[in-house]
Amino acid sequence: MDRLLLALGLLLALPARAEEGMWTYDGFPSEAVKRAYGFAPTQAWLDSVRLGSVRLAGGCSASFVSPTGLVMTNHHCIRSCVEDLASPQKDLLAAGFFAPEAKDELRCPKVEANQLMEMTDVTARLNTATKGLTGAAFNTTLKKETAKVEAECATGPDVRCDVVTLFNGGKYHLYKYRRFQDVRLAFAPEFPMASFGGDPDNFNFPRFGFDVAFLRVWENGQPARTPHYLPWAKQGVKEGELVFVSGHPGGTERKSTVAELEFQRDVALPYTLLHLAELRGMLREFTQGSPERFRITRAPQRSVENALKALRGRHQALADPALLAQKRKAEAELRTRVMAHSKLKASTVGAWEEVSQALELYRPLLPEYRMKEAGDGFMSELFTLARHLARAAEELPKPNSERLREYTEAQLPSLRQQLLRDAPIPPELEVATLTFSLNRMRETLGADDPFVQRVLGREAPADLARALVTGTKLHNPKVRQALLEGGKAAVEASQDPMLVLARKVDAEMRVVRKRYEDMVEAVLKRNGERLAQARLAVYGTSGYPDATFTLRLNYGVVKGWEQNGRTVAPFTTFGGAWARHTGKDPFKLPDSWLAAQSKVPPETPLDMATTNDIIGGNSGSPMVNKDGHVVGLVFDGNQPSLGGRYAYVPAMNRTVSVNGVGILTGLEHVYGARRLVEELRASQVP
Amino acid sequence: MDRLLLALGLLLALPARAEEGMWTYDGFPSEAVKRAYGFAPTQAWLDSVRLGSVRLAGGCSASFVSPTGLVMTNHHCIRSCVEDLASPQKDLLAAGFFAPEAKDELRCPKVEANQLMEMTDVTARLNTATKGLTGAAFNTTLKKETAKVEAECATGPDVRCDVVTLFNGGKYHLYKYRRFQDVRLAFAPEFPMASFGGDPDNFNFPRFGFDVAFLRVWENGQPARTPHYLPWAKQGVKEGELVFVSGHPGGTERKSTVAELEFQRDVALPYTLLHLAELRGMLREFTQGSPERFRITRAPQRSVENALKALRGRHQALADPALLAQKRKAEAELRTRVMAHSKLKASTVGAWEEVSQALELYRPLLPEYRMKEAGDGFMSELFTLARHLARAAEELPKPNSERLREYTEAQLPSLRQQLLRDAPIPPELEVATLTFSLNRMRETLGADDPFVQRVLGREAPADLARALVTGTKLHNPKVRQALLEGGKAAVEASQDPMLVLARKVDAEMRVVRKRYEDMVEAVLKRNGERLAQARLAVYGTSGYPDATFTLRLNYGVVKGWEQNGRTVAPFTTFGGAWARHTGKDPFKLPDSWLAAQSKVPPETPLDMATTNDIIGGNSGSPMVNKDGHVVGLVFDGNQPSLGGRYAYVPAMNRTVSVNGVGILTGLEHVYGARRLVEELRASQVP
């Protein structure tokens, strides 16, 4: 019986359909692909595609597409860079950008590119450190040991080391990246073309966006040498063709307990959705009638709208009783199997119950945690900078392993970059978002809450926000540098109002953070680990781990789908974009595209749908064919793919990409970006 | 065994605590009150308080407080009247209003007052008509017969007859009201005082609002004679004292099935909450920097904020696993009992299943229904008027029983009043809300949806909204009157762009309405009736029916509560209001209140908390003591009372009222409203 169960377990651990799975490179199921498609990636193929893959530190994917540092990603992944480089006089976001020569490429102050060089299993080391610990002790020790592991690995500023969680804590791996911090913009289309269709078309298909951008990594004042890159395919893909996506899916919760999913559905997602919806309403109205406000707001507005739609899709997936019924069944099955083994039974005793109890504690704590510590009450870049300065002054003198995670040695290069970058911070938008968030905080925690009273005093949120934003000097990077280098003495001596506020509220923020981390996060993590280990014991590692913004490879085919009795074809064309043009935002094609109508055959493919299993974070991922050659650029998923956070639905879940042929055509005939076209053509392998 | 179950059933049907229950006047549990408090209302007491109670047709409660037509209600119940009477030159909402003499009282164009004269049980007649019918046939017949019953009863324009649903369709009663359509404003405080504490304090306590207004009903150019009125109490109430609330709770779902509650939690409430949150963000920003926009928006904004907070409270109640666990238990118990009786078993066969199936059909239909038919896609008063004109032209020529419900004879007086009233419709706000809703519709249904394309064509929502609002002549009541009287020929000949749009989309709106009504509403109603009848068979009518905006009486005591270890006292004072004043909206007292500091002892009671079981619709309800004399004016509930939609929680659920002593004090010493004070004092019984 036992054997039968285990055999069944292994069978069930295979994905329901071939396309499901976000596989780590060291766990890719080549054999299964071979069985289904007659092609198996070799180790050399895997190494080559892995080293051609790039992570953008802010949360996107990308790829090297030439030996001289050329990087392909989505426009929406580097939108804030274009925004930073723009000005009221030179609206790069609206106009687009192309550097005719390498020397014209413009540095993106916030962008950092990472290339995954090595993966090492450090599970045993971390488990030894936390053995027998629970609650705060477990959390503190795990953090200390993680910081230690990362610090030992990070041997210089061009190395980034992250301990990553796999299988929900069943495994910990150390990921070592080569970091490129001099990243420059080579090409960006007009924003209205990158996001053609705007919010209405977002997460929909048929789609007609040209969400493409090219960057270049530089080293020592020269384009960097990048011998590992993905060549451009000679031929476009066909319907039904096998394709691979290599990228960094940000996060899935496919192995979460039912209690955690219900908590998302009933508490966490509704909270966040309402916050975002109101923010969106505010931002849209804020931009009305002022071209300058429109300019400074369109990028963050687009981000908010994207998040809102994505989370709404997630909520809808969880609100579908069929999904939770399936999860309940899987959980019951796991519990039954665990109970049948005395060792597993002992190792998981109370685990599900502790998860539920932690969530019950989190329920009343969540609004407080989000408002005070997690930023919802202080939506201001200037405040964020002020808090970093205040906290860095407290944290940096401590031993590395005792610091808050954001201030450990491994994180310092990113933190310094964030604090010292010279990018504009539009004050009017700062006042608007800070006012919004202070109002939300007062409503959420109540006007009589002591923390709210400490922040607001007898001020109205709008007045306080304006006083803080106009009074602070922190928009000046030199001022921030002096405070960062001056350490605790400089920070304590400063009378800057934003910094004074950050110092005043920091102690209370830390209290709620600690409460959250010890009572909720640590309990969920420790029990998540116990359950993950039990799951590994029952089902083995033949499955794939939940996404954690680590590099993954998956496979699928070019394919449309059926929805409400309507067939959605897998390709859209340039001709379709021209037909969709109404002349009104967000369906207004830029002049460049209208002018190209005479030069490009209308049947030229533009965007396409495939069955690859992706999620947020995969934006910018290269799509390659069997030869490992670029055939597309992932930039979205369809609406059903949003529920992919919890489960992959083969019949509906689709990845949305810009077609590789469409990219070359656009670069050449719409933008005349000959230098890049030649660079990409030169990379093509005959 | 059977007997034991039934005995248990009767026991369980008694409310968990004495204060729970929204009782109809013909089912009031006088004996239970006597047992608990040593006082039982007599039939004369009940008749007198019932006839002193008033319903405001828009969705509020009120009371007669003098023999010459003086009506007390909340400021927030007549806010839109004050708004209608205001102008940029004369900002009545901000300044407040007091008519020194009766002749100075100002007509409220939208307000209608109803007094409940008779209640008749018509269950048998309706049940006979619908016997054996299901789906569309059931729905159509029920509507026809309802329209017939109402038409027979409505003998003139001063009579209003509504067939009301009680016990979720277990009972139907015909309610006959005397209607007063000439309603005039006598007193309103400043809006900032009526809503002192604004959104942060809304649904919170301690509270310091003076949410009070006085109207007067007129007849034939004279104050109406209202011999049935509630005299003002000589003494204020004390902590622990027994009090009664007589009013019109709008709706509860305490008897809903678990499937219906889960649908609310997972689908309906999230949909509405997100719509409202985004609208709120838009409206708040819309008012920034423009006093005129602030003026025209503050009232609808406040309504949106109130709805948002109320629905959020409901959602939080449903997201509490304890509440649903209790509902599941009750449902399981009912099912068990029903199954034990062959007759009940037969009469309910498939009922729960059909409810679940209807909700599964509703799930994908809801956004379409809400956007197209229920108004979320067309948030514009001008569009609403246009659609009424277009539909009235179609419906009025039909026999009464075949019309859409809003156009039946019984509804015509209200409809005519709505169509012909002369109240301003601010065009700038119309453009903003119509733009907002057209955008939301396009996002929700998709840019490729044929209905969306028919509405928008190749226009952007903002451009279309502006063209419609500036192009229409429907803001002129004379134009509307001509169209209403001109009937179908006039409507079809009109080139008014708003009316053209309404005609163009009406057929598709009707399709989705019919789908909703036949496939969802009718199924829920019919099975709700079957279950309600089974519940009555098991538990009897000793319980109270769910609220349906019908007159109810309940009892409670003046009492605070404990929250997070903090004791909330039942009274607040004038002194507390002065202490809460920060000088910044929404905590800015008007000058009148600051000036009164020298005249009013600070310990004078202002607002109070009681254990009465109320819900939205009870706003404006009189609170009376054992003598049936006015001691307060209900205007809100605390946060836990929002979950009262689904269950009354005795330890936490509180009604919030303005104290009777505080009302007289405010009228006399803050506003110098001597005429009203004398009228109220004259009504006091020695």
Side-chain angles (χ1 to χ4, degrees), chain A residues 199 265-266 277-278 280-282 284 286 315 319 321 363 439 442-443 448 458 463 580-581 584 586, chain B residues 199 265-266 277-278 280-282 284-285 315 319 321 363 439 442-443 448 458 463 580-581 584 586:
Chain A
D199 189 67
R265 181 193 65 192
D266 296 343
E278 193 171 328
R280 185 214 189 188
M282 185 278 275
R284 279 186 85 124
F286 176 78
H315 184 267
R363 183 183 290 269
N439 266 316
R442 181 170 66 182
E443 291 155 21
D448 295 316
R458 296 174 80 84
D463 296 338
R580 205 170 184 78
H581 168 73
K584 309 273 184 172
Chain B
D199 188 67
R265 181 193 65 193
D266 295 343
E278 194 170 326
R280 185 213 189 187
M282 184 279 274
R284 281 186 82 124
E285 188 60 32
H315 185 266
R363 184 183 292 267
N439 266 315
R442 182 169 67 182
E443 292 156 19
D448 295 316
R458 295 175 81 82
D463 297 337
R580 206 169 183 80
H581 168 72
K584 309 274 183 171

Side-chain angles (χ1 to χ4, degrees), chain B residues 475-528:
Chain B
H475 50 266
N476 182 347
K478 293 208 178 63
V479 173
R480 302 197 295 268
Q481 185 164 12
L483 287 162
L484 181 63
E485 286 163 6
K488 195 161 174 161
V491 165
E492 284 188 350
S494 168
Q495 293 302 308
D496 189 282
M498 200 65 95
L499 196 52
V500 168
L501 174 65
R503 287 209 320 266
K504 188 166 67 175
V505 294
D506 192 46
E508 281 167 285
M509 287 177 166
R510 284 170 184 262
V511 168
V512 66
R513 175 173 174 155
K514 190 155 166 48
R515 201 139 40 101
Y516 165 72
E517 289 183 350
D518 293 350
M519 289 164 49
V520 183
E521 191 190 53
V523 181
L524 295 181
K525 198 175 242 170
R526 195 182 92 86
N527 288 290

Side-chain angles (χ1 to χ4, degrees), chain A residues 149-161:
Chain A
V149 171
E150 290 174 349
E152 286 166 18
C153 161
T155 48
D158 62 337
V159 177
R160 175 184 178 122
C161 295

